[in-house]
Amino acid sequence: MAFTLTSTDFKDGDVLPDAHVKALGNTSPQLAWSGAPEGTKSFAITCYDPDAPTGSGFWHWTVANIPAEVSEIPTGGPVPSGAVEGRTDYGAPGFGGAAPPPGHGPHRYIFTVFAVGVEKLDVTPDNSGAVFGFNLHFHTLAKASITAIYENKG
């Protein structure tokens, strides 16, 4: 069985709905996953924009330590008890919606769920996406992604 990620809010390749745009709703999307590999002890989620004009992309959401029995996050959350939301590149923990610069063209918002081989990653709400990624690098058993597109035509 393949490890898959889906959303009832958008399909892979769709335009990101306004509800998930920072200035228009700033609400995290519903995400559901299935087919986690044997040995999965927790899950993590990231949302990353590789097209941000920063030289290093932009982290919109990082969540770790989602219990292994959880397979869905509802639209707008909350994340499960015990999960840790990290600091986005906006500077605070939690979901930060799409906000590409006007006229910069379409940006990709890559939502990824990670099957993790440990119950807890050593991360805090003060940690950046890079720190979450570093910890995930050593403990990821599988990952699945869906991508939405958004452009601020200004």
Side-chain angles (χ1 to χ4, degrees):
M1 182 176 193
F3 188 42
T4 59
L5 175 63
T6 60
S7 177
T8 56
D9 293 327
F10 63 90
K11 304 289 184 245
D12 188 43
D14 281 357
V15 170
L16 190 68
D18 286 350
H20 314 300
V21 173
K22 187 162 179 53
L24 302 175
N26 205 41
T27 302
S28 61
Q30 183 272 351
L31 298 173
W33 51 93
S34 61
E38 189 173 326
T40 299
K41 295 184 179 174
S42 67
F43 295 99
I45 296 170
T46 62
C47 177
Y48 177 71
D49 171 6
D51 304 309
T54 64
S56 60
F58 197 96
W59 293 98
H60 287 266
W61 199 21
T62 55
V63 186
N65 305 339
I66 298 169
E69 63 273 9
V70 173
S71 61
E72 178 179 1
I73 303 289
T75 302
V79 298
S81 177
V84 175
E85 290 184 286
R87 179 175 42 85
T88 70
D89 284 339
Y90 290 119
F95 178 78
H104 193 255
H107 283 220
R108 293 167 290 164
Y109 296 87
I110 304 168
F111 292 84
T112 303
V113 64
F114 298 80
V116 181
V118 295
E119 286 183 22
K120 304 275 185 199
L121 293 177
D122 186 21
V123 294
T124 72
D126 292 328
N127 291 143
S128 67
V131 172
F132 272 68
F134 178 81
N135 281 274
L136 283 166
H137 174 80
F138 295 100
H139 300 290
T140 296
L141 302 175
K143 61 184 179 177
S145 299
I146 55 175
T147 301
I149 309 298
Y150 185 77
E151 179 176 4
N152 182 354
K153 296 181 181 179

